[in-house]
Amino acid sequence: MEIDLWYWISEYGKVFCGYLFLMLLWPLVVFHGYLKGKSKTFCFGFCTAVTVVIANTAVLGLGLFHILDQWLIRLGFYGVFAGALFKNTAGYLDRKYKKMMEAKFPDFRVLYGKYRVLVIVILFFGVSYTYIKKVIHCLSFHYIKKSLQPGNWLKIKVQIKEFIWNLGRRAARLFWKYGLLLAVMVFGMMYFSYGAFKVCSYGVGDLYTHHKWIYGLIEGELFVEGIYPAGMHCFTYCLNTLFGIRVYSILLFLQGIHVAVFFLAVYLLLKKIFHWYYTPVFVLLLFQVLDLKNVDQVRGMFRLQMTMPQEFGLYTVCLCALWLANYLEDDPVAGGNGKASRFHWNGNLLLFTLSLTAALATHFFVVIMAVVICLPFALFGLKKLFSGKHFVSLVVSVLCAFLIAILPMAGAMAQGTGLNPSLNWAVKAMDGEEIRQARTQNAENASGGKPVKWEDEGNGEVTLTVYAARALTKIYKEGYVALYGVRRAGCILLVMAAVAVFCLIARWRSKYMGKVCMWYPSVMVSSVCYVALYAFPMMGLPDLIPEGRFLAVGHMMVLGVLVMPIDILFSGLMCFCGKQILRILSLAVAGGIYGGTILFGCFRGYLFYELSRYNSAAETTCRIIDTFPQYSYTIVSPTDELYPVIETGWHEELLTFVEKSQEEEYTLPSEYVFLFVEKKPILYAQAYFFEGPWWMGTEKYLSLYASGRAVQSPELISSQISQELAQTEITDPYLRQLYLQLETRAILESKVYDWCQWFARENPSALNIYYEDDVFICYYFRQDVDGTPYHLNRRIQSENGSQ
C-alpha cells in the first residue's frame, strides 16, 4: 500500500498549528503585559519555558487532587487566553480612546470614566464596522469603475509601486537578518521529520510506553507505571485536549517540529559567544550536514527524531547557560537611596529559573547536561558568582526550580506511588559496566576478534603526574579519536590550541579582539567536558550520560570550536569591510560548507527507524480509524496497533488471540473484527536506514552497525509463514520476546493465518479481505453483537457445525 502522503501532511499540519499556539501564541497573549517591550530573545526564552512549566504544574496538580479532567484543562487554558485577549484588546482601545479624549474632547473625560466599559465596547464594534464597510466599498463595482479612470489609475499605479518598493525593502532586511537562519532550520526540520513520512510508525519502542502514560493522563491517572518526569507527557496531553489531535500523530511528528526550538536555543547561546552575526548559523549548518564517525553519535542523532522526554527538553540546556551568562554579566542596580540592592534579581534570573524548572520537569539527564554546560560559563564569572548579591539569589532560584518541578512528584510519592523502574536502570547504567562491554565488543569486531584491554597495566606507585598523563591519553583515545577519528580529532585539538593562544594574545594586546573572544574559553571547556564524559566509562569512572545522549548539545560545542577561526576572521574584517560585503561572504561560506561536505564525501547520512511493522499495516489502521464508527471494531495484531486505536477502538494481542482460540470458549464482542497477518514476518526493531534524494543525505551509516539487525532501505529482514510453522509449539513465555524474535514471530503469524483459512472454510461468507499485498494481509468479518457473536475457538465451532 502506498503511503497516503496528503493524510500525513494534514496530520503534521495539525500538530504544527497546535504546537505554535500552545508553545508561542498562548504565552505571548497571556503574558503580554509582562513581555511588552522585552526583546525577541527574552520573549522566546520565556514562552518556551513557561508553557512547559504551566502545563506540567496544572496537569499534575489537578491529578494529585484526583480532579484531572479534559474539560477543566480546556476551561483553564482557553478561559485564560480569552480573558487575556479581551484585556489586551480593551487596553489598546482604552489607550487610543483616552488619548483622543484628552486631545480633542477634554470635557468628556468624566463621562468616559463613568461608562468606560460601554465606551470601549461601542468603539470596538464601531472600528470593526468601519473596516468592514471599507472592505465592502473596495470590492464594490462602483469603486472599481472609478479607479479605472485615467487620473485615478495613475495614482493607483504610483501607490502600487510605492507599496512594492517598501515591501521589497522590508523583505530584504528580513532576509539578511533571518533568511539564512530560517533556511537552515527548515532544512533541519525536513531531515528530522523525514522518517515519520517514510515509515509512518513509531521509530522506537519507548514511544509505546510514553503513549501509555499519556493515555493514563487522559483517563485521569498520574504516573501509570511509577513516578517519572512528566513535562513532555503533560505538554502532549494539553495538545490532545485543546485541539483534539490524536496522541499517535503528536508523538509521530512533534519532535520534528520541536527540533526548531532546540536549534533556536543553540543559536541564541552561540550568538552571545560569537561576534559575527552568522557564525552561529555556520555551527547549526555543520551540525546538520557533516557526517558522523561513531555509532553512538549516529544513535544520538537518531533520537532527535523521536518525541521522547530527554530530546524534548534539550533546548532548556542551552537556555540555562544563556540566562546564567547574562545574569552573571549584569551588575546590581542601585536603589532609590543610591545603594545597590543586597540581592540581585532580574529577568535573566527569572528565565534561568523557568528553564531549569522545565529541564527538571522533563528529564533528569537533561539536568545533568545543563549542569555540565553551565559550569564552564560560571567558571569565568566566579568573582560575581560568589559575591553575595549574585550567589544567594542564584541559590534561591535553583531551590525554587527544584521545588516547583519536584513537588508534584513528591506529592504522588506521598500518596503511595513508587518510582518508575527506568529510573533504577538509569542509576545502574551510570556505573559504566554496560557501555564498557558494548564498546569492547565493537572494538573486538573492528579488530577482527582480537581481545582488547582498556585498563592500563603496570606496577609500582602511580604519581599524580603519571595519573594525569594517563587520563589525558584516555580522553584522547577513547574520547576524541573514538568519536571523530584520528584526523578530525587532530584537527579539533589543533584549532582549539591555536584559538587558546590567540585568546591569550588578544587579551594582552587588543581590547577589541579580547572582547571578541571573551566567551570562547567557555565553549572550549564545554566541548572537552562532552568528550571526557564519553571517555569516562573507559577510564573506570561513572557514565553520567549513557548511550551517547549528550551528542546534540556536546557536538554543537565541538563544532563551535571548529568555527572560531571563521568568527575571528569575520570579526577582523568588520573593521575594514562593509556589512553588505560580509553578508555576501557569509552566504558564500554557508554554501561552501554545504557544497564542500558533498564534494569531499563527508556529507551526512540518512538516519533510521527501528522498524516494527509494515507501512501497509500502518495505512490500513488509519483507514479503519477514519472509516468505522468509534469502538465498533477490534484489531487483532501485535502491540504496534494498540496505541494508534486506543482512543477509538479495541485491540487484541496476537498472542492472546492464538492462545484463546485454541484452549477455551472465545469471542470478541465488537461488530467488526480485523485480523492483521504478516505473510513475511519482519524482524522487530531492525534498524531500517532510509533512502532519499541526494541533496538531503547519503546512504553511509549502515556500515557502522556490526550487528545483523540493520538494513538499508528498501531491503528488509523478514521470514515466511508456512503450514509447518503453524503446527510448531511456542515455549517462550515472554510476550515481548515473542515479537522481538523472528522465529517465534513467524510461528505466531503462521498460526493466525492458518486460523483464518479454517474460519473461512467453516464460515464461507463471513471472512473477507480488507487489504492484501505481497507481504501483508488484513482479514475482517462482521458479526451481530446484539445476537450471538462468532465462536472463535476451533473445537467449539467444529462441534456446533457437526451437530
Side-chain angles (χ1 to χ4, degrees), residues 211-259:
H211 194 145
K212 181 179 181 180
W213 297 350
I214 295 166
Y215 186 71
L217 294 177
I218 295 174
E219 294 292 305
E221 184 179 356
L222 299 186
F223 306 120
V224 176
E225 294 183 343
I227 296 173
Y228 189 91
M232 185 273 288
H233 308 104
C234 294
F235 185 87
T236 305
Y237 168 81
C238 290
L239 273 181
N240 169 263
T241 299
L242 297 177
F243 304 102
I245 309 170
R246 294 168 54 203
V247 174
Y248 182 81
S249 297
I250 296 173
L251 293 182
L252 193 63
F253 295 118
L254 180 60
Q255 186 58 32
I257 299 168
H258 184 65
V259 74

Side-chain angles (χ1 to χ4, degrees), residues 173-355:
R173 286 198 299 268
L174 290 175
F175 170 78
W176 290 115
K177 194 170 185 180
Y178 303 113
L180 186 57
L181 174 63
L182 180 63
V184 171
M185 287 175 53
V186 171
F187 190 53
M189 290 173 66
M190 291 172 60
Y191 180 67
F192 290 108
S193 299
Y194 184 73
F197 290 98
K198 193 76 174 177
V199 175
C200 299
S201 295
Y202 287 160
V204 66
D206 291 354
L207 285 180
Y208 295 119
T209 301
H210 294 302
H211 194 145
K212 181 179 181 180
W213 297 350
I214 295 166
Y215 186 71
L217 294 177
I218 295 174
E219 294 292 305
E221 184 179 356
L222 299 186
F223 306 120
V224 176
E225 294 183 343
I227 296 173
Y228 189 91
M232 185 273 288
H233 308 104
C234 294
F235 185 87
T236 305
Y237 168 81
C238 290
L239 273 181
N240 169 263
T241 299
L242 297 177
F243 304 102
I245 309 170
R246 294 168 54 203
V247 174
Y248 182 81
S249 297
I250 296 173
L251 293 182
L252 193 63
F253 295 118
L254 180 60
Q255 186 58 32
I257 299 168
H258 184 65
V259 74
V261 171
F262 170 64
F263 287 154
L264 276 176
V266 173
Y267 169 81
L268 293 175
L269 176 61
L270 296 180
K271 186 181 175 183
K272 178 173 187 60
I273 293 163
F274 296 119
H275 192 68
W276 176 235
Y277 181 81
Y278 288 100
T279 308
V281 183
F282 299 155
V283 177
L284 292 176
L285 186 58
L286 264 178
F287 177 82
Q288 294 182 37
V289 301
L290 187 65
D291 63 353
L292 304 171
K293 299 295 185 181
N294 179 276
V295 66
D296 289 328
Q297 284 189 320
V298 174
R299 188 153 190 89
M301 194 73 77
F302 148 81
R303 291 178 62 91
L304 281 178
Q305 305 171 106
M306 310 303 163
T307 310
M308 293 190 289
Q310 177 187 292
E311 282 60 44
F312 184 82
L314 284 177
Y315 75 99
T316 61
V317 176
C318 299
L319 291 183
C320 285
L322 172 64
W323 305 128
L324 178 63
N326 286 344
Y327 175 70
L328 293 178
E329 274 190 339
D330 286 343
D331 290 320
V333 180
N337 57 359
K339 297 182 179 179
S341 174
R342 186 174 183 181
F343 304 113
H344 184 35
W345 307 94
N346 62 11
N348 291 318
L349 187 61
L350 171 65
L351 292 186
F352 173 78
T353 306
L354 288 174
S355 300

